[in-house]
Amino acid sequence: MLMPEPYASQHCQFIEKYMKTGIPKIVEEGRRGRKLPALRRDGTTFPMFLTLSEVQVKNGEKMFTGIMRNLSAEEEEKRVLLAMHNLVTSSIDPIVQIDSKGIIRLANPSCCECFQYEEEELIGKNVSMLMPEPYATKHNQFIENYLKTGVPKVVEKGRRGRTLSGLRKDGSTFPMFLTLSESSMNGEIVFTGIMRNLSAEEEERQVLATMIDSCVDPIVVISTNGIIDRCNPACSRAFGFSKEELIGGNISMLMPEPHASHHQSYINRYLEKRRHPVRSNSDLSNTSHVVGQGRDLVGKRRDGTKIPLFLTISEFEVSSSLSARKGFIGIMRDMSEREKVIAIEVEKKKSEALLKNVLPHHICERLKAEEFHENVQIADTCDDVSILFADIVGFTQFASQRTPLQVVHYLNKVFRIFDVLVDKYGLEKIKTIGDAYMAVGGINEDPDHIYKIINFSLEVLDAVNMLKNERDEVGELRLGIRIGLHVGSVVAGLVGSKRRFFDLWGDAVNVASRMESSGIANCIHCSKDIALVAQKYPDEFIVVHRGAIPVKGKGPMETFIIGRIAKRESISLILKQHEITQRRESIEIHKKIEEELFRNVIFSFGTMRTSLVSRKMALAGFVSFFAGVTVSALFFTCKTAKP
């Protein structure tokens, strides 16, 4: 009943077999002791150590005596020791255990790897072999002093952790963090040291320090009482202090008044708010916006001069096995240089904007790519470009009746409208010549440039017609506009070294100019190529054939008038008025010619004498008179002929 299965059911068989054979196997084994499981009343088992002996009583009966030892505590201790051994063995931190004489009794694999020794090379050796001088020669003395005095200076520090240097087998050293504890094992004092290799952390710290030192912006680290703990070289350069002068000084030395005197109170109020976040006093809420955000302020150099800065402040709190501290990191940017850069950038953008107002966009980009070099040559052949010339009708008389300021004001108003429409339709303004305006389409390879320049022309007409009814100090403006259009191949380029300008050359430019000069006021006069495109949009445009007109250098050319389909009647009216005006002008010219010739004849008769020369002059006068009449008649016939 005290045994678990299978021992319980087999126990009687073991006794019977022994009684029959007399071979004391079990008993003999029991005398030496045997480890077996036992069964409690509640069914649980526990380990025990059994010694068994045989005893004979007076009547010859045999009895067996078993002495048992409960091994539960010992097994538990073994399990704990095994778990501790596994923990020590698998720990990534080096662990070493020494006795009171400094002899190494245990070293885990991490310790062997960290110090570059095999386990056999460490066990039984003095731990001073893992220390650089002067700690190696003094270590045994440290232990003896502790054992004599009982004052736990080293051990007590070890419990909190201490930064030391370790010595590898190859003679190199490395930083480590050591925690040391004292314990007793089998009545002997042992010390267990757990180390952490700080090489990676130290390397990371050095990299971070290098980054901070190489930063071009001033960086300063201060404690909660405003003392400068660290600063980079940029901070020394910016403020004119040496590093030694800054470290340990108060941050207020870098501030002008009144901030220098009040800075510590700013920090105290901020920390107070952090400790009591529920409070919402106005004096506390005014300080929280400084940390975690940027702000513009003024710093003070060593020589007393002020420097504009942009400051960002962040709070840090380091709590580790090494240390626990709070403070603030300030990163500053010297805005004096930045303001210069910003000013340069602003001026650069202004110059680029000014250039884009003077030159086409694609020419500006090419100039920027060449860094505005004065010797850059830009010349392109454009095979399909639509060209517009617009001229204000009656501008000479208009200008003669007004002040220069009034003339410029009107031109500015008109050409501003043109510029807005140029941008609207994606055209390029080329130049203004007096009261004339030149624009082109297709330089940027727009397939719809002719359609767009026609719409542009129509909107220009509408805008000028609206201005025509306005009045100024002199009277009504009543100015019109002539527009000429043509399309063809041109050469486009940039010329000049001073006030360089972009222009177009070619036969197409000349024809477009002739279309404008021979056009009709408040009409769009164009060549056949433009008219063919307009005829593709019968729902939008009306195209009227004007007839053949003489063009300088080209001879007679078929020309057309373009208008909006909704203004068909107004176009017809304009053409009739133009015809009437031409006839009236022809009659007036004919009369002037006749009057001039008649005066010549009268003059000849009045000065006639008897001499042969006088009679010849009179005859010449008559011939001139009749020839003049004939020429004027022919001129009148041509001018009054219907187009």
Side-chain angles (χ1 to χ4, degrees):
M1 65 183 293
L2 302 180
M3 303 176 187
E5 293 293 343
Y7 304 105
S9 57
Q10 297 177 0
H11 185 261
C12 292
Q13 184 180 352
F14 295 155
I15 295 176
E16 290 176 1
K17 189 174 181 180
Y18 171 71
M19 296 297 292
K20 289 179 181 180
T21 63
I23 301 173
K25 292 183 178 180
I26 300 175
V27 176
E28 186 67 23
E29 185 177 330
R31 288 174 181 172
R32 294 194 302 269
R34 184 178 185 184
K35 184 179 178 181
L36 292 171
L39 179 67
R40 294 188 181 94
R41 182 177 183 178
D42 59 5
T44 60
T45 60
F46 63 94
M48 69 175 183
F49 188 78
L50 171 67
T51 57
L52 187 64
S53 61
E54 179 182 0
V55 180
Q56 289 186 355
V57 295
K58 294 180 180 181
N59 57 4
E61 185 179 359
K62 293 182 178 181
M63 296 183 67
F64 300 95
T65 302
I67 301 174
M68 293 163 283
R69 179 182 293 172
N70 190 344
L71 299 178
S72 299
E74 296 179 16
E75 288 295 322
E76 182 65 25
E77 184 178 355
K78 286 182 180 180
R79 284 196 297 271
V80 172
L81 290 175
L82 180 61
M84 291 180 63
H85 180 269
N86 292 336
L87 180 64
V88 170
T89 303
S90 61
S91 174
I92 61 174
D93 291 328
I95 299 176
V96 64
Q97 189 178 77
I98 63 173
D99 60 15
S100 58
K101 296 180 180 181
I103 303 302
I104 299 174
R105 298 178 54 177
L106 179 146
N108 70 341
S110 295
C111 180
C112 298
E113 181 182 358
C114 183
F115 288 92
Q116 301 175 349
Y117 286 98
E118 297 294 333
E119 185 178 4
E120 295 77 12
E121 296 178 287
L122 293 176
I123 302 301
K125 303 293 178 60
N126 196 289
V127 74
S128 60
M129 66 186 296
L130 304 180
M131 304 175 187
E133 293 296 344
Y135 305 104
T137 55
K138 296 180 179 180
H139 185 261
N140 289 338
Q141 184 180 351
F142 295 155
I143 297 177
E144 291 175 4
N145 290 339
Y146 171 70
L147 294 176
K148 287 179 180 179
T149 62
V151 180
K153 293 182 179 179
V154 179
V155 178
E156 187 65 25
K157 285 186 177 181
R159 288 175 182 172
R160 295 195 301 268
R162 185 178 184 184
T163 303
L164 298 170
S165 294
L167 178 67
R168 296 189 181 96
K169 185 178 181 180
D170 60 5
S172 62
T173 60
F174 64 94
M176 69 177 184
F177 185 75
L178 171 67
T179 57
L180 189 63
S181 62
E182 177 189 359
S183 61
S184 177
M185 185 175 293
N186 298 327
E188 185 181 356
I189 296 176
V190 294
F191 302 96
T192 302
I194 301 176
M195 295 160 279
R196 176 172 295 174
N197 190 343
L198 300 179
S199 299
E201 297 179 20
E202 180 65 19
E203 182 179 354
E204 183 178 353
R205 188 192 66 80
Q206 291 179 358
V207 170
L208 182 60
T210 303
M211 291 174 60
I212 293 175
D213 290 343
S214 61
C215 184
V216 296
D217 290 328
I219 300 176
V220 63
V221 180
I222 66 171
S223 62
T224 53
N225 57 2
I227 301 301
I228 300 174
D229 294 334
R230 181 180 179 83
C231 66
N232 65 343
C235 185
S236 299
R237 291 192 298 269
F239 290 94
F241 290 95
S242 66
K243 184 177 180 180
E244 292 73 18
E245 290 174 312
L246 290 173
I247 301 299
N250 196 286
I251 189 65
S252 59
M253 65 191 295
L254 305 180
M255 303 175 186
E257 293 294 345
H259 303 291
S261 302
H262 298 161
H263 185 260
Q264 190 57 45
S265 63
Y266 299 156
I267 296 178
N268 294 338
R269 285 201 297 269
Y270 173 77
L271 296 175
E272 179 68 18
K273 183 177 180 181
R274 290 295 304 272
R275 286 192 292 268
H276 305 284
V278 179
R279 297 176 60 184
S280 58
N281 294 339
S282 58
D283 61 333
L284 298 182
S285 60
N286 290 335
T287 59
S288 61
H289 71 282
V290 178
V291 178
Q293 300 183 21
R295 65 179 301 187
D296 292 307
L297 49 78
V298 177
K300 186 181 72 172
R301 296 187 180 95
R302 181 177 185 177
D303 59 6
T305 59
K306 295 181 180 180
I307 173 174
L309 298 171
F310 183 79
L311 172 67
T312 57
I313 301 177
S314 59
E315 182 182 8
F316 72 88
E317 182 174 353
V318 178
S319 179
S320 65
S321 55
L322 292 175
S323 60
R325 56 192 289 255
K326 297 179 181 180
F328 303 93
I329 299 176
I331 301 177
M332 295 162 278
R333 175 156 294 178
D334 187 346
M335 299 302 293
S336 55
E337 292 297 326
R338 183 177 176 85
E339 287 175 357
K340 293 179 182 178
V341 173
I342 292 175
I344 293 173
E345 288 295 325
V346 169
E347 291 302 320
K348 184 178 179 181
K349 289 181 179 179
K350 286 182 179 179
S351 63
E352 290 180 0
L354 180 61
L355 193 65
K356 289 179 180 179
N357 279 334
V358 177
L359 300 175
H361 177 73
H362 69 286
I363 299 296
C364 294
E365 294 300 320
R366 289 169 65 176
L367 284 176
K368 286 171 60 179
E370 298 290 341
E371 297 183 352
F372 300 99
H373 198 280
E374 62 178 5
N375 295 323
V376 173
Q377 296 293 325
I378 295 179
D380 300 314
T381 299
C382 304
D383 296 327
D384 186 30
V385 175
S386 54
I387 308 160
L388 172 143
F389 279 95
D391 186 68
I392 298 176
V393 179
F395 183 77
T396 302
Q397 182 181 0
F398 169 85
S400 65
Q401 299 172 349
R402 288 163 175 81
T403 65
L405 186 61
Q406 291 173 329
V407 173
V408 172
H409 175 73
Y410 176 77
L411 282 178
N412 186 49
K413 182 185 293 186
V414 173
F415 288 159
R416 276 180 177 270
I417 295 173
F418 284 29
D419 292 342
V420 171
L421 295 176
V422 160
D423 291 338
K424 175 181 178 181
Y425 288 101
L427 306 177
E428 291 290 350
K429 174 185 177 181
I430 302 301
K431 58 185 174 181
T432 59
I433 311 167
D435 60 325
Y437 191 96
M438 180 182 178
V440 298
I443 288 183
N444 54 0
E445 299 182 356
D446 185 353
D448 298 326
H449 63 93
I450 297 178
Y451 174 79
K452 291 180 178 179
I453 205 166
I454 293 173
N455 276 292
F456 168 80
S457 304
L458 292 170
E459 285 207 39
V460 164
L461 283 180
D462 293 340
V464 173
N465 286 333
M466 290 179 64
L467 292 175
K468 182 172 63 176
N469 298 323
E470 293 185 0
R471 296 181 61 89
D472 61 3
E473 292 83 350
V474 178
E476 292 185 356
L477 301 179
R478 293 205 171 276
L479 293 175
I481 190 168
R482 283 192 309 269
I483 296 177
L485 299 179
H486 184 54
V487 62
S489 176
V490 299
V491 174
L494 194 65
V495 294
S497 58
K498 282 190 175 182
R499 298 178 184 174
R500 306 181 74 180
F501 68 96
F502 181 79
D503 207 349
L504 278 68
W505 301 271
D507 184 64
V509 178
N510 297 330
V511 172
S513 178
R514 299 292 184 271
M515 291 295 105
E516 179 273 315
S517 60
S518 61
I520 301 172
N522 300 320
C523 283
I524 301 173
H525 190 210
C526 68
S527 63
K528 185 177 181 179
D529 294 332
I530 297 288
L532 290 176
V533 175
Q535 287 172 349
K536 295 179 181 179
Y537 303 91
D539 295 336
E540 298 183 46
F541 309 128
I542 177 174
V543 181
V544 179
H545 182 224
R546 187 184 180 192
I549 64 169
V551 176
K552 183 179 179 181
K554 300 291 289 184
M557 284 187 65
E558 296 292 327
T559 62
F560 300 81
I561 302 296
I562 297 178
R564 296 190 190 278
I565 193 68
K567 297 184 178 181
R568 182 190 298 268
E569 295 180 358
S570 62
I571 293 177
S572 300
L573 180 61
I574 290 172
L575 292 176
K576 288 180 181 180
Q577 290 177 347
H578 179 67
E579 180 182 345
I580 294 171
T581 302
Q582 278 190 322
R583 289 180 180 177
R584 187 182 296 114
E585 291 176 353
S586 298
I587 292 172
E588 291 177 356
I589 292 173
H590 176 70
K591 287 181 178 180
K592 288 180 179 180
I593 292 174
E594 287 180 344
E595 290 175 357
E596 184 65 25
L597 291 175
F598 183 75
R599 281 196 296 269
N600 290 338
V601 171
I602 295 300
F603 175 78
S604 299
F605 275 106
T607 58
M608 184 181 298
R609 287 184 174 85
T610 56
S611 65
L612 179 62
V613 176
S614 299
R615 287 195 293 270
K616 287 181 178 181
M617 289 178 60
L619 181 60
F622 282 114
V623 173
S624 299
F625 173 76
F626 288 111
V629 171
T630 303
V631 171
S632 62
L634 290 173
F635 181 78
F636 176 77
T637 303
C638 293
K639 292 290 286 183
T640 55
K642 293 184 178 181

